[in-house]
Amino acid sequence: MIKQQPSPTLPLLRRGTATDVDSIVRIMDSAFDPLFGEAWTRSQCAGILPMSGVVLTLAVGEDKEPFGFSLQRTIAGEAELLLIAVAREDQGRGIGRGLLDRFIADAQAAGATKVHLEVRENNPAIGMYRSAGFQQVGRRSEYYYGKDGSCFDALTFVQLLDNAG
């Protein structure tokens, strides 16, 4: 169980670039249990960053080293949270929620009227998504495949943004 630790200061959130791919892979290695098959490969991360509408946001400490990130794509008035992760030792301090809030704010600023995300069933982050206003709208059976051959459903969530006017 991850112990809640107060954070003396919120981390700096900054835009990432293709030069940050090694950092996000390192964070995924720390944050995602390989049992669930949620992490992307280095080539998947590097391949999506140059695409139109894709934004990488990093949470960095005083030493400027990234310890959390979110990856999103906004297109045709909708945004999708593709990945979000915080290094295991930094979890439970509100950093994931800060990244999630930035994703929503960036999507709204880009004119999105709807934001989407997908998460493995039983992922502890589901509570954070619900508290941020996301509502479950679907389920994809056996979407995630763990290294041991086990399968896990993906839950899809949506939030409507007040960008209609």
Side-chain angles (χ1 to χ4, degrees):
M1 171 158 251
I2 298 169
K3 185 178 179 182
Q4 291 281 59
Q5 301 173 7
S7 176
T9 59
L10 290 175
L12 173 68
L13 299 180
R14 71 163 175 87
R15 292 278 190 236
T17 67
T19 62
D20 295 304
V21 169
D22 288 336
S23 292
I24 64 175
V25 169
R26 178 183 47 77
I27 293 164
M28 281 190 295
D29 287 344
S30 169
F32 296 149
D33 186 328
L35 173 66
F36 300 115
E38 298 162 304
W40 287 16
T41 65
R42 185 184 196 295
S43 62
Q44 286 172 312
C45 294
I48 199 163
L49 283 171
M51 292 183 177
S52 178
V54 172
V55 174
L56 171 64
T57 302
L58 299 170
V60 298
E62 291 178 12
D63 61 0
K64 305 297 184 214
E65 280 298 309
F67 56 86
F69 75 92
S70 66
L71 185 64
Q72 71 189 62
R73 175 177 44 202
T74 304
I75 188 165
E78 296 190 6
E80 180 180 11
L81 181 63
L82 301 169
L83 283 170
I84 187 168
V86 176
R88 187 165 307 281
E89 63 272 12
D90 293 301
Q91 292 176 359
R93 300 184 337 178
I95 297 157
R97 180 59 188 256
L99 287 162
L100 182 64
D101 290 345
R102 173 63 67 87
F103 156 64
I104 294 167
D106 286 351
Q108 196 159 19
T113 58
K114 187 186 290 186
V115 290
H116 304 262
L117 65 86
E118 181 177 270
V119 61
R120 173 188 40 84
E121 65 180 337
N122 300 324
N123 186 317
I126 291 170
M128 176 180 70
Y129 300 138
R130 286 192 170 124
S131 73
F134 284 85
Q135 306 227 339
Q136 184 180 339
V137 294
R139 175 183 292 266
R140 294 181 177 157
S141 296
E142 300 182 354
Y143 185 79
Y144 295 106
Y145 291 90
K147 290 191 180 205
D148 66 355
S150 55
C151 300
F152 305 91
D153 290 357
L155 306 179
T156 55
F157 285 80
V158 169
Q159 182 181 146
L160 300 178
L161 302 178
D162 188 21
N163 247 357

